[in-house]
Amino acid sequence: MFEILSRQELNPTVVRISVHAPLIARKAEPGQFVILRAGTESERIPLTIADYDRIGGSITLIFQLVGAGTMELGRLQVGERLQDLVGPLGKATETEGLRKVCVVGGGVGSAIAYPIAKKLHMQGTVVHSVVGFRTRDLVILEDDFRAVSDELHLLTDDGSYGEKGLVTNALESLILAGNQYDEVIAIGPLVMMKFVSLTTKKYNVKTIVSMNPIMVDGTGMCGGCRLTVGGETKFACVDGPDFDGHLVDFDEALRRGEMYREFEQHARETACKLFPKEDRQNAGA
Amino acid sequence: MPERNMSPYQTAMPTQPPEQRSHNFDEVALGYTYNMAVAEARRCLNCKNHPCVSACPVGIDIPGFISKVAQEDMEGAFTVLSACTSLPAVCGRVCPQETQCEGVCVRGIKGESVGIGRLERYVADWHRENQSNTQRSVASNGHRVAVIGAGPSGLTCAGDLARLGYQVTVYEALHVAGGVLVYGIPEFRLPKAIVRHEVEGLEALGVKIETDMVIGRTLTVDELFSMGFEAIYIGTGAGLPRFMGIPGENLKGVYSANEYLTRINLMKAYQPGSRTPIQQSFSVAVVGGGNVAMDAARCAKRLGADRVTVVYRRSMAELPARAEEVAHAQEEGIEFRMLSNPVEVLGDEKGWVTGVRCEEMTLGEPDASGRRRPVPKPDGGFTLNIDTLIVAIGTQPNPLLLRTTEGLISDRHGCIVVSDDDGLTSRSHVYAGGDAVTGAATVILAMGAGKRAAQAIHRAITKKQA
């Protein structure tokens, strides 16, 4: 179980793996996540399911090498196994009855936005995709998005590829051009989801965001993933991860996300020393 | 017969000195020596009515195992114990004996009761250190039962069914078995190696444990039936933390006790070099007065906090924690601010906790629970300067399984409704027990429920066959 079946580096910091997990693959829906541990002493890491193959019995995970835990995961090669993998957790993204949707993805969040765009496209929803990256080298899943979108807007912050600008600019233009969306589904960094929500609020377009806060167990036990949504405390792991973007207290979520920043920085530096860069490159080759 | 020991006092339990233990996570109580155990066992009068047995939620043959210890037959004592309980090393450490077996001991009328818990622990530890978990072959009866949750209730149910010849699979959501015994109760009170050993004992009996399985998500109750299980026992516990609902509760540095303890115990944040982050605190307030609050407070002290204060809205007399845990916490320098109720968590501009504002309480008329109800005083109140707040005011059953299982009825507190003592739920062949039914209670009550359900499942399946 949990054997890594394939592995690709989508860009210098983003890795895609598919993992043998027939029970999870059978149930997984876009928007749901798994919790995994790479090794026996590893942290539990929540990752949203990027794709699944019910017949082949595998799920796809796309992750950015940001901390010690994801670096450890990134080192695992085809044929090696994850220590633990549990899921699918959280509620699936609701797609029923949607006729026209704008899917907004930012950075590695695009990897999570993609299966939702795919599901919408397969059910006949008109899909406009707006995906943004910092720069050309970080662009991922362009062809995948193109295949499931009626319209694709790819942007980079620095204009090195696609249109220059932020996803909010492109989204606002689409709305102003008269597109009537039943929903905007935005997945990416918290700051991006905050500004997408502020933009759509002006035009009163319902907006769903996918929250990915710090969590331990992923089943409602620790409460570490709590958020304020419409003045109420919600647990992202069991009440979400999808929430109404117009109700989420993003500023609080941003602050809570920084709780272990110092610890993580230190752990990351230690991990970098443990796994020198050339070693990581060799491993990836 | 060995000579009776008529000392009115319990043989004292050796412990790590408070100064030393408040800086480490090693076990606080060190356990009896052989001679201490034999001497203490000889205090038991083996009285006719043995009230201790009736007061034990799992009905352990207490005089039976103690008389074996008195005769220095330790393996014999273990055989008696293990016929009644799957987790003796655990119960000997975490049961509230003072309100159960020891509370009704005849020796307690003129002096101190027999140290039943300490003897139970001694026998289990003796067996672990001197004998191996041998493969006990029980002939399979060909029937399959699934247990959801590898906590004390589920493990007990599984063990009892396995001894009757059932093929039992236990499904656990976390990556290790043990439930609250591994994520909640800290190492210094219950070493994890002991829990692991007890779980291995069950595996040696033929119980299969599948971790990383969230029933309701990975598989559903209905799927378990279609996989061929004839009965299901739900022992999913009460894992959903309750918060106070006061301003500032989502500031950085505010933890549920569940999260704080899970990071420290299950994820091993207490070990130097652990990959799991935990707040390095200077001044900590723990809200609540149960065992979980004591565990959190004592963990915070051990992680280096200078000042740890337990804040509780009733008085010392109403503290629901075990007397021994409270005494140990006090010895370790934990402060107690009783009759105090937090009303607001204060923070700085970056969102970190800086304090907790409390109102002062006074005790009014008894409420439904029989305890005097705390009432806020019209004036007064104070602010504690803290950098960490741990909320330990209780937990509720996790709604995940209920939300995903049709026909399973719960009450307004989210507790699964069962018909009677057997634990049968609103779904046929589905039984439940422990905290999932009662709300947060003790390990031993959860074990008792698992035991009764195992008997009920056995009766139901036997009847179906006949």
Side-chain angles (χ1 to χ4, degrees), chain B residues 163-176:
Chain B
R163 277 189 207 92
L164 291 164
Y166 289 85
Q167 287 173 271
V168 186
T169 303
V170 182
Y171 293 99
E172 167 56 45
L174 291 174
H175 56 268
V176 280

Side-chain angles (χ1 to χ4, degrees), chain B residues 59-70:
Chain B
I60 290 176
D61 178 6
I62 292 164
F65 94 82
I66 290 182
S67 67
K68 295 282 185 198
V69 177

Side-chain angles (χ1 to χ4, degrees), chain B residues 99-320:
Chain B
T99 61
Q100 299 172 5
C101 53
E102 294 181 16
V104 295
C105 175
V106 170
R107 292 299 308 261
I109 299 168
K110 286 182 191 163
E112 290 178 355
S113 70
V114 174
I116 299 169
R118 295 169 178 183
L119 288 169
E120 182 182 21
R121 168 186 165 149
Y122 179 79
V123 171
D125 288 358
W126 182 91
H127 176 82
R128 189 179 62 254
E129 283 153 21
N130 293 284
Q131 309 285 324
S132 61
N133 272 326
T134 44
Q135 186 84 38
R136 276 159 286 182
S137 51
V138 182
S140 167
N141 65 12
H143 296 289
R144 295 176 66 209
V145 178
V147 171
I148 307 173
S153 196
L155 291 177
T156 298
C157 186
D160 282 17
L161 287 168
R163 277 189 207 92
L164 291 164
Y166 289 85
Q167 287 173 271
V168 186
T169 303
V170 182
Y171 293 99
E172 167 56 45
L174 291 174
H175 56 268
V176 280
V180 72
L181 308 177
V182 292
Y183 76 72
I185 303 177
E187 183 75 15
F188 58 82
R189 208 147 76 75
L190 179 64
K192 301 308 147 229
I194 286 169
V195 181
R196 200 158 55 237
H197 185 270
E198 308 251 35
V199 171
E200 282 164 8
L202 290 172
E203 288 176 315
L205 262 177
V207 173
K208 202 169 147 205
I209 294 176
E210 290 212 26
T211 52
D212 295 327
M213 295 289 276
V214 179
I215 304 303
R217 289 275 184 235
T218 318
L219 289 172
T220 63
V221 163
D222 292 291
E223 283 170 310
L224 292 177
F225 280 121
S226 61
M227 285 160 66
F229 292 106
E230 293 164 72
I232 293 172
Y233 179 71
I234 302 171
T236 45
L240 191 74
R242 216 176 279 155
F243 287 92
M244 297 177 286
I246 62 173
E249 231 174 349
N250 292 350
L251 287 164
K252 285 180 285 185
V254 181
Y255 287 94
S256 72
N258 259 7
E259 179 181 1
Y260 194 70
L261 291 171
T262 300
R263 286 181 177 275
I264 293 169
N265 300 319
L266 178 76
M267 303 311 294
K268 303 180 188 165
Y270 73 91
Q271 291 174 347
S274 161
R275 309 253 179 90
T276 302
I278 189 90
Q279 174 106 324
Q280 296 302 308
S281 316
F282 180 74
S283 176
V284 181
V286 180
V287 185
N291 287 323
V292 173
M294 299 306 130
D295 286 345
R298 297 170 73 195
C299 280
K301 192 82 187 173
R302 282 160 172 75
L303 287 175
D306 214 47
R307 196 168 170 200
V308 182
T309 310
V310 170
V311 176
Y312 181 56
R313 62 203 186 111
R314 292 182 159 102
S315 73
M316 288 304 278
E318 288 84 21
L319 274 181

Side-chain angles (χ1 to χ4, degrees), chain B residues 242 312-315 317-320 363-374 412-413 440:
Chain B
R242 216 176 279 155
Y312 181 56
R313 62 203 186 111
R314 292 182 159 102
S315 73
E318 288 84 21
L319 274 181
L363 290 180
E365 293 301 307
D367 63 12
S369 73
R371 296 180 300 177
R372 292 177 63 190
R373 200 162 60 87
R412 65 194 172 91
H413 302 292

Side-chain angles (χ1 to χ4, degrees), chain A residues 26-27 37 43-44 72 84 86-88 90 214 219-222 224 226 228 252 255-256 259-260 263, chain B residues 175 212 214 217-218 223 239-241 249-250 252-256 258-259 262-263 275 277 350 352 398:
Chain A
R26 217 163 53 131
K27 292 279 169 69
R37 296 199 319 143
E43 266 201 274
R44 293 171 67 96
E72 193 186 8
D84 293 286
V86 58
I214 294 166
T219 62
M221 211 183 82
C222 76
R226 64 192 186 277
T228 303
E252 179 186 272
R255 283 196 298 269
R256 286 183 63 80
M259 176 134 177
Y260 298 113
F263 182 98
Chain B
H175 56 268
D212 295 327
V214 179
R217 289 275 184 235
T218 318
E223 283 170 310
L240 191 74
E249 231 174 349
N250 292 350
K252 285 180 285 185
V254 181
Y255 287 94
S256 72
N258 259 7
E259 179 181 1
T262 300
R263 286 181 177 275
R275 309 253 179 90
K350 287 190 169 158
W352 289 99
N398 192 322

